[in-house]
Amino acid sequence: MEYYNRQWVARIAFLSLLLCIFSLNTAKANNVFKQYMSMGQMFENSANLTMAEKYYTLAIDNYDRNNNRELTEAKLALAYINKFKNPSLAQRLNNQCMEESMKYADLKQKYLAINAFVNFCLNNKAEFEQANSEYIKLCQQNESLPDKYDLMLQSMEEAMKGFYDNSLATLKRSDADKITATDLRIIIFNMKGDMRAVIREQQNKASLVDSLNAESYEKNVNEKSLNQGLEKAREELSDKKNTLTTIIIIMAVVILILVGLYFYLIKKTHTYRKNKNEQLKTALKMAGEADEMKKDFVRRVSHEIRTPLNAITGFNDIINNTSIQIDQEERDELLARINENVKAITVIVDELLQAANAESIQDYAKYDIITCNKFLSNIISKRYSDVNSKTELKFNTKLLNRFSITTNAEALEKIIDHLIDNAIKFTQLGRIELACSEKDNMLYITVTDTGKGIPEDKQDEIFEQFAKADQFEQGIGLGLTVSKKMAQKLGGDLTLDKHYKIGARFILTVPVN
């Protein structure tokens, strides 16, 4: 009898273990699905559709297999962000959701709205009218449904009928997010044949996407990612603790004769867990710091590169779209815009390369003997063509013509070139002056301008990495940081004259000997 009782105890313990493991996996899967959906929604709100698509796809791969509604929600979310970007994919995903969507009014509403969006984008008039009609009927039968898509669909219906001005006015009153509204305006203007408006909206979209990422992404991503990372770490620790406790209980029930070994293992496990927890805390702290540095760098670089890339992509799509008729003058203007944005990306890449080079060099070889007046005069003469007609570029010296120093000419020229670049960029009217003098065995080189200057609250941090006096100017804020490090490796320094208020004045010092 005791034998059979022991058998039943063993079976119950084994089944309990399986049930615990299944419950843990189910809870974990559900939690992972919600995290991926939350991340996808966050990136969608910040107009980063590539990242939103990634997380919605991960949500599809990690939904609760017993919950088809979760799968449908994720697929509808993925279809919605592709409604204009990839309407064929959106239609295919939406069709997969039809059966499950019919069970829930809110999912059916989104399904019908996406169906209408896609057919509007593909200019399928009959299919659009059918989807729109079913949508209106559903909303009339369920007054509690939100009116999120109502005015957008009304706007599309008016555009399909050729009432473009009414369509645009209706769209303006809708709850459409800025990106969706801009995409709709592009399609409506294209239907209307107003290509200049299409180009203008493409430009607005590029600026809007960058603005939303700068505001929303920087504000939310780091905090949410860090919280989720910590929450995941806590869940992993909790899972380990629960699993270990379950194993200990099973061992205690099944193997009573090993009580002594049981206590020994408990003590040993406690010590092992404590050591591992300490190691994990240290690893998490180090990983968090490294991850924050990486995210900060990637965020800032992508923030600066995204705008010209979006502009290049938009202009290129217009040029290569055979359905859009543009004359040669407009084509030349678009090509010029593409060229400008390519140059902007080149400037950013150059800054990164200069920063990497400055970090790798411990010290500069100082074997170049330069005659200061001639050297500086040659630098300034190369830049006359870069300033506008309202700005005077001049060179002023207090040195004798034969005055010379020994230094690294290439590094010195790069520093001065960057200072003059900044002066030209921020000075639209007045003068830019390169001047030099000598005092206490140090060469003083100043670059002075009458531009917008540097705000007082930015002056103390202007030489820090990624610091920018004007966040809307091109560049990633490494130029002055790199220039200061180069100056210090030449044995001098680069500082800002805070007493100069008309514009900005930078002072570069280099040893004479």
Side-chain angles (χ1 to χ4, degrees):
M1 188 69 178
E2 290 181 2
Y3 171 76
Y4 288 111
N5 287 338
R6 287 197 298 268
Q7 273 195 333
W8 277 110
V9 170
R11 290 172 182 174
I12 292 172
F14 180 71
L15 290 173
S16 298
L17 175 61
L18 292 178
L19 181 60
C20 289
I21 293 174
F22 175 79
S23 299
L24 286 170
N25 289 337
T26 302
K28 185 175 182 180
N30 183 260
N31 189 44
V32 168
F33 172 84
K34 290 180 179 178
Q35 287 187 2
Y36 284 144
M37 288 295 291
S38 177
M39 291 295 289
Q41 183 65 53
M42 183 183 63
F43 279 111
E44 181 182 346
N45 292 339
S46 65
N48 192 337
L49 300 186
T50 300
M51 291 300 293
E53 184 172 355
K54 171 186 174 181
Y55 280 101
Y56 285 145
T57 303
L58 288 171
I60 291 173
D61 294 336
N62 290 273
Y63 79 101
D64 182 359
R65 295 300 184 268
N66 298 317
N67 190 343
N68 288 330
R69 180 185 169 91
E70 285 189 352
L71 176 62
T72 304
E73 288 175 351
K75 285 188 174 182
L76 287 175
L78 188 57
Y80 186 78
I81 65 174
N82 279 283
K83 58 187 181 296
F84 298 133
K85 176 184 173 185
N86 191 345
S88 297
L89 173 62
Q91 190 173 48
R92 187 165 63 253
L93 288 168
N94 206 43
N95 289 340
Q96 294 173 8
C97 299
M98 181 177 66
E99 182 177 351
E100 189 68 14
S101 296
M102 297 302 111
K103 300 176 183 178
Y104 309 95
D106 58 329
L107 296 186
K108 185 176 181 181
Q109 181 192 31
K110 190 166 186 178
Y111 162 80
L112 293 172
I114 294 172
N115 197 14
F117 271 102
V118 170
N119 284 296
F120 175 75
C121 183
L122 297 175
N123 201 25
N124 297 330
K125 186 173 182 180
E127 290 82 356
F128 169 80
E129 290 177 354
Q130 181 179 353
N132 188 37
S133 176
E134 292 179 12
Y135 176 90
I136 294 173
K137 182 177 179 180
L138 174 68
C139 292
Q140 290 174 346
Q141 293 173 350
N142 299 270
E143 295 181 355
S144 60
L145 289 174
D147 58 355
K148 177 180 178 180
Y149 311 104
D150 293 8
L151 289 178
M152 285 188 280
L153 292 176
Q154 181 182 335
S155 172
M156 288 184 273
E157 182 181 14
E158 291 168 346
M160 279 288 192
K161 294 178 180 178
F163 305 135
Y164 303 117
D165 292 337
N166 291 345
S167 173
L168 293 169
T170 302
L171 178 60
K172 190 173 182 180
R173 301 196 317 270
S174 73
D175 293 332
D177 61 86
K178 294 180 179 180
I179 295 298
T180 299
T182 304
D183 284 331
L184 280 173
R185 283 196 296 272
I186 290 172
I187 296 174
I188 294 169
F189 281 126
N190 194 25
M191 294 169 65
K192 188 179 181 181
D194 189 348
M195 292 303 106
R196 289 189 178 275
V198 171
I199 295 172
R200 184 182 67 247
E201 291 298 329
Q202 288 279 12
Q203 294 172 337
N204 290 341
K205 182 180 178 181
S207 300
L208 178 60
V209 169
D210 186 70
S211 174
L212 287 172
N213 275 280
E215 295 172 4
S216 181
Y217 185 84
E218 185 170 359
K219 181 178 178 182
N220 295 323
V221 169
N222 284 335
E223 180 180 354
K224 188 153 189 173
S225 297
L226 181 59
N227 288 338
Q228 289 181 341
L230 292 174
E231 184 62 28
K232 185 177 180 181
R234 285 194 289 267
E235 287 178 2
E236 289 176 353
L237 287 174
S238 178
D239 289 346
K240 289 180 180 179
K241 182 178 178 181
N242 291 337
T243 303
L244 184 60
T245 303
T246 304
I247 293 173
I248 292 171
I249 293 173
I250 294 173
M251 289 175 63
V253 173
V254 178
I255 315 175
L256 294 176
I257 61 174
L258 298 177
V259 174
L261 180 60
Y262 167 81
F263 286 107
Y264 168 75
L265 290 174
I266 286 293
K267 182 177 179 181
K268 187 175 181 180
T269 303
H270 177 75
T271 303
Y272 172 79
R273 191 192 313 160
K274 182 178 179 181
N275 293 336
K276 283 296 181 181
N277 285 343
E278 292 299 325
Q279 294 175 9
L280 181 59
K281 288 179 182 178
T282 304
L284 281 173
K285 183 178 179 181
M286 295 176 62
E289 292 174 353
D291 192 47
E292 283 303 304
M293 292 176 64
K294 179 184 70 174
K295 287 178 182 177
D296 186 57
F297 177 78
V298 172
R299 182 177 66 250
R300 291 177 182 273
V301 173
S302 63
H303 170 74
E304 294 298 334
I305 292 179
R306 191 178 299 111
T307 296
L309 277 180
N310 286 337
I312 291 170
T313 302
F315 295 144
N316 183 64
D317 288 344
I318 294 173
I319 291 175
N320 292 291
N321 192 335
T322 56
S323 65
I324 300 177
Q325 301 297 325
I326 58 176
D327 56 33
Q328 188 59 41
E329 181 181 352
E330 292 174 326
R331 183 178 296 274
D332 292 341
E333 180 183 351
L334 291 177
L335 290 173
R337 294 288 185 86
I338 290 175
N339 189 46
E340 289 175 5
N341 285 281
V342 169
K343 288 181 180 179
I345 294 177
T346 303
V347 169
I348 294 172
V349 173
D350 285 342
E351 280 193 41
L352 291 173
L353 292 176
Q354 289 181 16
N357 188 49
E359 289 292 339
S360 63
I361 296 175
Q362 297 298 322
D363 198 7
Y364 288 105
K366 307 175 187 68
Y367 299 129
D368 301 321
I369 300 175
I370 63 172
T371 303
C372 294
N373 286 344
K374 182 179 179 181
F375 178 77
L376 297 174
S377 180
N378 287 340
I379 292 176
I380 205 73
S381 64
K382 297 176 185 177
R383 309 309 300 269
Y384 286 127
S385 60
D386 297 332
V387 298
N388 59 50
S389 59
K390 298 180 181 180
T391 304
E392 178 187 7
L393 183 61
K394 58 185 296 187
F395 171 60
N396 187 16
T397 180
K398 295 182 180 180
L399 303 175
L400 298 175
N401 283 335
R402 64 177 180 273
F403 185 86
S404 62
I405 65 171
T406 302
T407 186
N408 186 297
E410 181 182 359
L412 183 59
E413 184 173 356
K414 284 183 178 179
I415 299 172
I416 297 171
D417 264 337
H418 179 73
L419 295 177
I420 294 175
D421 276 337
N422 278 355
I424 293 173
K425 185 187 300 183
F426 294 106
T427 306
Q428 303 301 320
L429 177 65
R431 64 180 176 83
I432 300 171
E433 180 183 84
L434 174 66
C436 60
S437 60
E438 185 269 341
K439 181 181 179 182
D440 298 332
N441 210 32
M442 294 291 288
L443 174 64
Y444 285 77
I445 301 173
T446 61
V447 177
T448 306
D449 64 61
T450 58
K452 61 173 64 175
I454 300 173
E456 291 186 4
D457 60 334
K458 299 286 186 181
Q459 291 180 357
D460 291 331
E461 60 185 46
I462 198 66
F463 292 105
E464 296 178 3
Q465 282 193 352
F466 306 113
K468 295 170 66 176
D470 189 342
Q471 297 298 325
F472 297 98
E473 287 291 338
Q474 292 177 349
I476 55 178
L478 288 176
L480 287 176
T481 305
V482 173
S483 297
K484 187 176 182 68
K485 288 182 179 180
M486 292 172 69
Q488 291 171 342
K489 290 177 181 180
L490 289 174
D493 201 1
L494 177 62
T495 58
L496 173 69
D497 184 356
K498 297 181 180 180
H499 300 292
Y500 182 75
K501 303 295 183 182
I502 301 176
R505 174 180 289 152
F506 288 90
I507 304 172
L508 170 64
T509 57
V510 183
V512 171
N513 296 328

